[in-house]
Short mmCIF file of all heavy atoms in Angstrom, two decimals:
data_model
loop_
_atom_site.label_atom_id
_atom_site.label_comp_id
_atom_site.label_asym_id
_atom_site.label_seq_id
_atom_site.Cartn_x
_atom_site.Cartn_y
_atom_site.Cartn_z
N LEU B 59 -29.57 3.82 -1.92
CA LEU B 59 -29.54 4.60 -0.74
C LEU B 59 -30.96 5.02 -0.43
O LEU B 59 -31.64 5.71 -1.19
CB LEU B 59 -28.60 5.80 -0.86
CG LEU B 59 -27.12 5.52 -1.10
CD1 LEU B 59 -26.43 6.71 -1.49
CD2 LEU B 59 -26.45 4.84 0.08
N VAL B 60 -31.46 4.71 0.71
CA VAL B 60 -32.73 5.26 1.18
C VAL B 60 -32.44 6.40 2.18
O VAL B 60 -31.82 6.19 3.16
CB VAL B 60 -33.66 4.17 1.85
CG1 VAL B 60 -34.87 4.78 2.32
CG2 VAL B 60 -33.90 3.05 0.91
N CYS B 61 -32.97 7.58 1.82
CA CYS B 61 -32.63 8.75 2.65
C CYS B 61 -33.78 9.34 3.30
O CYS B 61 -34.92 9.40 2.64
CB CYS B 61 -32.00 9.81 1.77
SG CYS B 61 -30.68 9.31 0.66
N GLU B 62 -33.69 9.72 4.47
CA GLU B 62 -34.73 10.44 5.16
C GLU B 62 -34.34 11.96 5.09
O GLU B 62 -33.27 12.34 5.57
CB GLU B 62 -34.83 10.06 6.61
CG GLU B 62 -35.98 10.68 7.29
CD GLU B 62 -36.17 10.27 8.77
OE1 GLU B 62 -35.38 9.31 9.28
OE2 GLU B 62 -36.95 10.87 9.47
N LEU B 63 -35.20 12.83 4.53
CA LEU B 63 -34.87 14.20 4.33
C LEU B 63 -35.76 15.07 5.12
O LEU B 63 -36.90 14.83 5.26
CB LEU B 63 -34.95 14.53 2.81
CG LEU B 63 -34.14 13.90 1.83
CD1 LEU B 63 -34.36 14.44 0.40
CD2 LEU B 63 -32.68 13.97 2.15
N ASP B 64 -35.20 16.13 5.55
CA ASP B 64 -35.99 17.27 6.08
C ASP B 64 -35.71 18.39 5.19
O ASP B 64 -34.63 19.01 5.23
CB ASP B 64 -35.60 17.49 7.48
CG ASP B 64 -36.41 18.66 8.12
OD1 ASP B 64 -37.32 19.16 7.43
OD2 ASP B 64 -36.15 19.05 9.36
N GLY B 65 -36.64 18.72 4.25
CA GLY B 65 -36.32 19.64 3.21
C GLY B 65 -35.25 19.12 2.42
O GLY B 65 -35.41 18.07 1.75
N GLU B 66 -34.04 19.73 2.27
CA GLU B 66 -33.01 19.28 1.53
C GLU B 66 -31.88 18.67 2.39
O GLU B 66 -30.87 18.28 1.86
CB GLU B 66 -32.40 20.38 0.65
CG GLU B 66 -31.98 20.04 -0.71
CD GLU B 66 -31.46 21.02 -1.57
OE1 GLU B 66 -31.77 22.25 -1.38
OE2 GLU B 66 -30.54 20.70 -2.28
N THR B 67 -32.10 18.68 3.68
CA THR B 67 -31.07 18.10 4.54
C THR B 67 -31.27 16.55 4.83
O THR B 67 -32.34 16.14 5.07
CB THR B 67 -31.19 18.93 5.98
OG1 THR B 67 -31.24 20.25 5.65
CG2 THR B 67 -29.96 18.55 6.80
N VAL B 68 -30.20 15.90 4.69
CA VAL B 68 -30.18 14.42 4.87
C VAL B 68 -30.25 14.18 6.43
O VAL B 68 -29.24 14.57 7.11
CB VAL B 68 -29.05 13.77 4.26
CG1 VAL B 68 -28.99 12.30 4.55
CG2 VAL B 68 -29.03 14.00 2.70
N LEU B 69 -31.24 13.52 6.89
CA LEU B 69 -31.25 13.21 8.32
C LEU B 69 -30.63 11.90 8.56
O LEU B 69 -29.95 11.55 9.52
CB LEU B 69 -32.62 13.25 8.86
CG LEU B 69 -33.31 14.58 8.92
CD1 LEU B 69 -34.70 14.44 9.35
CD2 LEU B 69 -32.59 15.53 9.68
N ARG B 70 -30.84 10.90 7.57
CA ARG B 70 -30.47 9.53 7.75
C ARG B 70 -30.21 8.89 6.48
O ARG B 70 -31.01 9.17 5.50
CB ARG B 70 -31.56 8.85 8.44
CG ARG B 70 -31.13 7.50 9.18
CD ARG B 70 -32.00 7.24 10.40
NE ARG B 70 -33.36 7.33 10.05
CZ ARG B 70 -34.30 6.34 10.21
NH1 ARG B 70 -33.88 5.18 10.77
NH2 ARG B 70 -35.55 6.45 9.95
N VAL B 71 -29.24 8.12 6.27
CA VAL B 71 -29.03 7.31 5.07
C VAL B 71 -28.96 5.84 5.34
O VAL B 71 -28.24 5.42 6.34
CB VAL B 71 -27.70 7.68 4.34
CG1 VAL B 71 -27.62 6.94 3.06
CG2 VAL B 71 -27.64 9.19 4.08
N ILE B 72 -29.79 5.10 4.70
CA ILE B 72 -29.74 3.64 4.94
C ILE B 72 -29.35 2.95 3.59
O ILE B 72 -30.13 2.95 2.71
CB ILE B 72 -31.15 3.03 5.42
CG1 ILE B 72 -31.56 3.93 6.72
CG2 ILE B 72 -31.06 1.61 5.66
CD1 ILE B 72 -32.95 3.65 7.10
N PRO B 73 -28.11 2.51 3.56
CA PRO B 73 -27.63 1.86 2.34
C PRO B 73 -28.18 0.45 2.25
O PRO B 73 -28.24 -0.38 3.14
CB PRO B 73 -26.11 1.88 2.46
CG PRO B 73 -25.81 2.50 3.77
CD PRO B 73 -26.94 2.58 4.55
N HIS B 74 -28.53 0.02 1.05
CA HIS B 74 -28.93 -1.31 0.75
C HIS B 74 -28.05 -1.86 -0.41
O HIS B 74 -27.92 -1.30 -1.36
CB HIS B 74 -30.40 -1.31 0.23
CG HIS B 74 -31.39 -1.04 1.24
ND1 HIS B 74 -32.13 -1.97 1.83
CD2 HIS B 74 -31.76 0.19 1.85
CE1 HIS B 74 -32.96 -1.39 2.74
NE2 HIS B 74 -32.70 -0.10 2.68
N ILE B 75 -27.31 -2.94 0.00
CA ILE B 75 -26.40 -3.43 -0.99
C ILE B 75 -26.84 -4.94 -1.29
O ILE B 75 -27.76 -5.44 -0.78
CB ILE B 75 -24.92 -3.45 -0.55
CG1 ILE B 75 -24.79 -4.20 0.77
CG2 ILE B 75 -24.46 -1.97 -0.33
CD1 ILE B 75 -23.33 -4.39 1.21
N GLY B 76 -26.02 -5.65 -2.13
CA GLY B 76 -26.40 -7.00 -2.48
C GLY B 76 -27.03 -7.18 -3.81
O GLY B 76 -27.25 -8.27 -4.20
N TYR B 77 -27.24 -6.08 -4.58
CA TYR B 77 -27.89 -6.24 -5.85
C TYR B 77 -26.96 -6.94 -6.86
O TYR B 77 -27.48 -7.41 -7.85
CB TYR B 77 -28.31 -4.98 -6.39
CG TYR B 77 -29.46 -4.27 -5.65
CD1 TYR B 77 -29.32 -3.45 -4.50
CD2 TYR B 77 -30.84 -4.60 -5.97
CE1 TYR B 77 -30.35 -3.02 -3.76
CE2 TYR B 77 -31.89 -4.16 -5.25
CZ TYR B 77 -31.62 -3.28 -4.13
OH TYR B 77 -32.64 -2.89 -3.42
N LEU B 78 -25.67 -6.94 -6.55
CA LEU B 78 -24.72 -7.58 -7.50
C LEU B 78 -24.10 -8.76 -6.92
O LEU B 78 -23.05 -9.30 -7.31
CB LEU B 78 -23.65 -6.51 -7.91
CG LEU B 78 -22.98 -6.52 -9.24
CD1 LEU B 78 -24.04 -6.34 -10.28
CD2 LEU B 78 -22.01 -5.43 -9.29
N HIS B 79 -24.78 -9.29 -5.89
CA HIS B 79 -24.22 -10.51 -5.14
C HIS B 79 -24.14 -11.71 -6.08
O HIS B 79 -25.19 -12.13 -6.60
CB HIS B 79 -25.02 -10.79 -3.93
CG HIS B 79 -24.49 -11.96 -3.09
ND1 HIS B 79 -23.27 -11.89 -2.62
CD2 HIS B 79 -25.07 -13.07 -2.75
CE1 HIS B 79 -23.09 -12.99 -1.91
NE2 HIS B 79 -24.13 -13.79 -2.03
N SER B 80 -22.99 -12.15 -6.23
CA SER B 80 -22.73 -13.29 -7.17
C SER B 80 -22.18 -14.59 -6.41
O SER B 80 -22.01 -15.57 -7.02
CB SER B 80 -21.65 -12.99 -8.23
OG SER B 80 -21.73 -11.58 -8.54
N GLY B 81 -22.01 -14.37 -5.19
CA GLY B 81 -21.57 -15.56 -4.33
C GLY B 81 -20.14 -16.04 -4.80
O GLY B 81 -19.85 -17.19 -4.77
N PHE B 82 -19.29 -15.08 -4.99
CA PHE B 82 -17.90 -15.45 -5.45
C PHE B 82 -17.23 -16.33 -4.41
O PHE B 82 -16.54 -17.23 -4.75
CB PHE B 82 -17.06 -14.18 -5.71
CG PHE B 82 -17.41 -13.50 -7.00
CD1 PHE B 82 -17.46 -12.08 -7.02
CD2 PHE B 82 -17.76 -14.19 -8.12
CE1 PHE B 82 -17.76 -11.49 -8.20
CE2 PHE B 82 -18.06 -13.51 -9.29
CZ PHE B 82 -18.01 -12.16 -9.37
N GLU B 83 -17.41 -15.94 -3.11
CA GLU B 83 -16.71 -16.77 -2.08
C GLU B 83 -17.25 -18.18 -2.07
O GLU B 83 -16.37 -19.09 -1.84
CB GLU B 83 -16.92 -16.08 -0.73
CG GLU B 83 -16.09 -14.74 -0.65
CD GLU B 83 -16.33 -14.04 0.66
OE1 GLU B 83 -17.04 -14.50 1.56
OE2 GLU B 83 -15.84 -12.92 0.76
N LYS B 84 -18.48 -18.39 -2.24
CA LYS B 84 -19.10 -19.68 -2.29
C LYS B 84 -18.44 -20.42 -3.52
O LYS B 84 -18.09 -21.64 -3.46
CB LYS B 84 -20.61 -19.69 -2.40
CG LYS B 84 -21.32 -21.02 -2.34
CD LYS B 84 -21.33 -21.52 -0.99
CE LYS B 84 -22.14 -22.86 -0.93
NZ LYS B 84 -22.18 -23.57 0.26
N LEU B 85 -18.52 -19.78 -4.68
CA LEU B 85 -18.02 -20.34 -5.92
C LEU B 85 -16.59 -20.84 -5.78
O LEU B 85 -16.18 -21.88 -6.37
CB LEU B 85 -18.12 -19.35 -7.14
CG LEU B 85 -19.65 -19.13 -7.62
CD1 LEU B 85 -19.57 -17.99 -8.63
CD2 LEU B 85 -20.16 -20.35 -8.32
N GLY B 86 -15.86 -19.95 -5.04
CA GLY B 86 -14.36 -20.21 -4.97
C GLY B 86 -14.18 -21.59 -4.22
O GLY B 86 -13.16 -22.25 -4.51
#
Side-chain angles (χ1 to χ4, degrees):
Chain B
L59 298 170
V60 177
C61 311
E62 182 179 357
L63 300 185
D64 182 3
E66 222 185 322
T67 310
V68 177
L69 297 178
R70 197 151 52 122
V71 182
I72 304 169
H74 290 255
I75 60 171
Y77 289 91
L78 213 56
H79 181 57
S80 326
F82 285 141
E83 290 177 4
K84 181 82 175 172
L85 286 169

